[in-house]
């Protein structure tokens, strides 16, 4: 994957039909998704439980684009290899989930996967200041992680602007996750984000039998984000 700052839409399969992941992944890719975002939750770091490595391994053959695995688990290090063996192209770890985030990011890169670092809404950007040479992506959470369908937290916009300045010319993506809609996408795109995760705003109104609303929803988010950049 070559690096660029074009807008990329990464649907979160947390909002997919849980009895139909393979077909849901195929449907969102056919409808224009750029990446596939997989939310891994452990019932400990966040109050919800989702996908272990075998589930991620089962998703893998269906993903033709890029599988971005967002680990909301603590500890992180004992599970890195299991998730990269399962086929993750990128692993994102939370700075709040491990006392040695520097080591965690090194361990992710040592597997050959790309490495992302994530910040909860309450965590200052300064927490990742010394990690810029170890990451391929900064994930700025605009909800408290754990559930889809929550309301966008606006303090993430200013944090995105500051992250963009901190990154400078480095080839590091800025991903936004939580409450992304055609209304909120322009706010973060204008501030410097390029990868927009969206769960409920992508899957609403569609199904594997009727996937065209997924395409409409992806286009609406992308166009809203691209238009604000064109205007800037
Ligand atoms: C939240 C997850 C998100 C979530 C986004 O803990 O990390 O990826 O699924 O869902 P929406 O887009 O519905 O806010
Ligand atoms: Zn996520």
């Amino acid at each position: 994957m070559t690096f660029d700052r074009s807008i990329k839409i990464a649907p979160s399969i947390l909002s997919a039909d849980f009895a139909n992941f393979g077909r849901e992944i195929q449907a969102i890719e056919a409808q224009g998704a750029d990446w596939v975002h997989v939310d891994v939750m452990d019932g400990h770091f966040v109050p919800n439980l989702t996908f272990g490595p075998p589930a991620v391994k089962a998703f893998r053959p269906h993903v033709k684009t890029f599988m971005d695995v967002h680990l909301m688990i603590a500890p992180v290090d004992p599970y890195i290899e299991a998730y990269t063996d399962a086929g993750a192209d990128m692993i994102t770890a939370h700075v709040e989930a491990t006392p040695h985030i520097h080591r965690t990011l090194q361990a992710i890169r040592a597997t050959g996967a790309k490495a992302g670092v994530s910040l909860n809404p309450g965590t200052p950007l300064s927490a990742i200041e010394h990690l810029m040479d170890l990451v391929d992506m900064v994930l700025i959470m605009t909800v408290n992680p754990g559930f889809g369908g929550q309301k966008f937290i606006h303090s993430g916009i200013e944090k995105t602007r500051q992250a963009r300045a901190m990154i400078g010319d480095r080839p590091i993506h800025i991903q936004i996750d939580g409450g992304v809609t055609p209304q909120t996408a322009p706010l973060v795109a204008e501030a410097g984000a390029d990868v927009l995760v969206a769960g409920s705003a992508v899957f609403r109104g569609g199904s594997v039998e009727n996937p065209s609303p997924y395409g409409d929803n992806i286009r609406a988010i992308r166009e809203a984000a691209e238009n604000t950049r064109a205007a800037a």
Side-chain angles (χ1 to χ4, degrees), residues 31-195:
Q31 294 293 325
D34 299 286
W35 293 12
V36 175
H37 184 83
V38 179
D39 285 308
V40 174
M41 305 185 183
D42 68 347
H44 168 72
F45 179 64
V46 291
N48 198 358
L49 272 169
T50 58
F51 312 121
V56 174
K57 191 173 180 182
F59 304 154
R60 177 71 258 184
H62 301 281
V63 178
K64 304 284 180 258
T65 54
F66 185 81
M67 185 162 65
D68 145 38
V69 176
H70 177 190
L71 294 184
M72 288 163 274
I73 65 174
V76 188
D77 297 9
Y79 300 102
I80 290 170
E81 266 191 51
Y83 282 99
T84 54
D85 286 351
D89 292 307
M90 180 183 295
I91 299 266
T92 299
H94 270 261
V95 72
E96 306 86 359
T98 166
H100 301 293
I101 185 70
H102 190 284
R103 176 185 294 152
T104 299
L105 294 168
Q106 284 179 322
I108 294 170
R109 278 202 166 163
T111 67
K114 300 223 180 269
V117 66
S118 182
L119 296 168
N120 280 334
T123 305
L125 190 63
S126 57
I128 60 167
E129 203 178 317
H130 302 294
L131 303 172
M132 289 295 108
D133 295 328
L134 283 172
V135 296
D136 302 287
M137 186 173 82
V138 172
L139 165 49
I140 296 175
M141 292 301 301
T142 41
V143 298
N144 287 299
F147 304 95
Q150 303 182 80
K151 203 169 165 296
F152 180 88
I153 296 171
H154 283 254
S155 58
I157 301 167
E158 186 50 32
K159 201 188 277 185
T160 301
R161 207 178 301 288
Q162 290 171 10
R164 183 67 195 86
M166 186 186 278
I167 286 168
D169 292 335
R170 298 179 181 91
I172 301 177
H173 297 290
I174 300 181
Q175 183 176 62
I176 303 296
D177 189 3
V180 171
T181 65
Q183 288 69 46
T184 57
L187 308 174
V188 286
E190 193 273 329
D194 62 307
V195 189

